[in-house]
Amino acid sequence: MVRSVVLLTAVCLLAGGCASFPDEPAPTSWSAQPQLTPQAGPRPELPGEYRPTPGDQGQRQTPQSVPPPQGCKDFNPAVIGTCLNTVTGVAPIGADAKGGVAAYATERGGRVVKVTKDVDPVVVAQIEVDASSDGGLTGLALSATFGEDQLAYVYVTTATDNRVLRIAPGDSPKPILTGIPKGPSGNRGVLASDRKGAILVATGDAGNPALAADPNSLAGKVLRIDGSGKPAQGNPTAGSAVVSSGLRLPGGLCVSADAQKIWVTDWAANFDAVYRVVPGKLGDAAWTWPDRPGVMGCASLSDVLWVATAKTPGTQNLPMNAAGAFTGKPTVSGEDGSGFGRIGPMEQLNDASALVGTVNKVGGQPVSSDDRVAIIVRDGQVPGKD
């Protein structure tokens, strides 16, 4: 079972910002290529930190209990951002001054903020969005070369359409892909890096299933674009951004560390589902949830697909072999109060941990410091929980 615990993982110390858009890297093909990774920085060893060892089954003593939050102050060392509103995207951007994780987080209402432990969120951008249905600011991804160009991408619903914007330091957000259909529902969209230099975009069907089946519509699709919003080279159809079709209301996109497995979660008409994205088609659901826990973000680890849920506390954990086939039914962790409640976005940090954002203020049981950005780790328990 996958369970949550603190792991303040230092990522890399990133380069300074730039005030204008840099040249985009050369487009990449869909075939496997070496993964772009930033240079690793120092990794602190924190009191009580759990590091799996060969043969370790995840059993460990938990550190002494931590006190409950006091207002926006959260004493759980796994929490790095507090008092946010419906977190819809998270992305690690480097290490803070103390060696912990710094991250970007997006709120459905339109804010992009930088969060670090024990520091008030810093607003990076404020975007005017239409969050009257299931849209708003709903997706976040960083460029593959964020350490050099500091570029971030967001998915937003406007008064007229759904679109992808690019954010550069010192500049206002710029639209790079517009005209994604907007409707009375089906407006949520999510983003992910394909780990090869392109951006993956999962779009809703704008409340019209026929659009999801229409190859000429951007609705209900998995798209693959370059940093300028153009169709990425190597897509199934040259000159088209469409990779696969048939989504209704996507909740999350994730890519395995080796870039060989791409997953998208979706709130389908009669069940929640996760699909293995295959270029040219969506195919049958790899797993479905008739009870509809509200599948959202995911992380494709070496032997498990980790799926966050927005309607029920905890995470769904699907055991998986190296080829990406599920080998058993999902287990649920964190549903008993040992986690952070209802979770929306999830971003893999390594093969044992992920950055997550909570959505407890929407139908959950929020604590005073919700909604939060935190780190969850496999094979352990949240410190302070008995």
Side-chain angles (χ1 to χ4, degrees):
M1 175 181 291
V2 179
R3 290 169 290 177
S4 301
V5 70
V6 174
L7 180 66
L8 294 178
T9 309
V11 198
C12 61
L13 287 173
L14 301 174
C18 54
S20 60
F21 296 127
D23 293 332
E24 293 295 328
T28 59
S29 67
W30 185 263
S31 59
Q33 296 185 13
Q35 181 183 344
L36 296 173
T37 55
Q39 183 178 359
R43 186 183 187 283
E45 180 143 7
L46 302 174
E49 182 178 349
Y50 172 65
R51 295 186 180 181
T53 56
D56 189 352
Q57 299 302 307
Q59 302 300 316
R60 65 185 293 264
Q61 296 296 318
T62 58
Q64 63 183 6
S65 296
V66 295
Q70 296 179 4
C72 292
K73 173 68 175 179
D74 199 302
F75 298 95
N76 189 327
V79 174
I80 64 173
T82 64
C83 287
L84 302 173
N85 289 307
T86 312
V87 182
T88 55
V90 290
I93 61 171
D96 63 19
K98 297 180 180 179
V101 171
Y104 278 170
T106 54
E107 297 173 322
R108 189 178 168 202
R111 288 204 312 171
V112 182
V113 297
K114 178 183 177 181
V115 294
T116 52
K117 181 70 176 175
D118 297 326
V119 177
D120 290 340
V122 176
V123 177
V124 175
Q126 176 72 62
I127 302 167
E128 185 175 351
V129 301
D130 179 3
S132 59
S133 61
D134 47 29
L137 198 175
T138 60
L140 169 68
L142 304 181
S143 77
T145 51
F146 180 84
E148 290 76 43
D149 57 36
Q150 304 283 286
L151 293 177
Y153 300 86
V154 294
Y155 191 96
V156 302
T157 306
T158 73
T160 58
D161 66 355
N162 292 291
R163 57 180 58 185
V164 179
L165 307 179
R166 181 173 60 184
I167 302 173
D171 201 355
S172 58
K174 296 292 192 298
I176 62 167
L177 180 62
T178 62
I180 301 169
K182 177 187 177 183
S185 62
N187 294 301
R188 185 172 65 209
V190 289
L191 306 177
S193 167
D194 76 343
R195 300 185 185 272
K196 293 180 270 184
I199 301 295
L200 296 170
V201 185
T203 68
D205 67 0
N208 184 354
L211 293 179
D214 182 353
N216 297 314
S217 174
L218 295 178
K221 304 293 191 296
V222 176
L223 311 174
R224 183 169 173 266
I225 59 176
D226 63 22
S228 298
K230 297 184 174 71
Q233 290 189 6
N235 284 355
T237 300
S240 172
V242 176
V243 172
S244 57
S245 306
L247 296 176
R248 178 174 175 266
L249 187 62
L253 267 170
C254 56
V255 183
S256 61
D258 61 3
Q260 297 304 299
K261 295 183 286 292
I262 301 172
W263 306 93
V264 60
T265 65
D266 189 36
W267 296 14
N270 299 311
F271 46 74
D272 284 0
V274 61
Y275 298 90
R276 174 85 176 265
V277 178
V278 178
K281 63 179 181 178
L282 191 63
D284 295 331
W287 195 269
T288 62
W289 289 266
D291 56 339
R292 310 197 72 130
V295 292
M296 295 295 288
C298 57
S300 183
L301 309 183
S302 60
D303 59 352
V304 69
L305 183 69
W306 215 348
V307 180
T309 53
K311 294 181 180 178
T312 59
T315 60
Q316 299 274 334
N317 317 300
L318 282 156
M320 178 175 64
N321 64 23
F326 298 138
T327 58
K329 296 180 179 180
T331 58
V332 183
S333 59
E335 80 278 17
D336 57 356
S338 63
F340 292 103
R342 301 184 183 200
I343 296 173
M346 175 182 287
E347 181 71 20
Q348 180 177 348
L349 293 175
N350 53 41
D351 201 49
S353 64
L355 191 67
V356 298
T358 70
V359 291
N360 290 314
K361 286 183 177 179
V362 183
Q365 296 181 336
V367 297
S368 67
S369 58
D370 272 321
D371 276 315
R372 296 171 284 177
V373 175
I375 297 171
I376 62 173
V377 173
R378 300 179 59 187
D379 303 321
Q381 297 177 344
V382 174
K385 300 292 183 181
D386 296 326

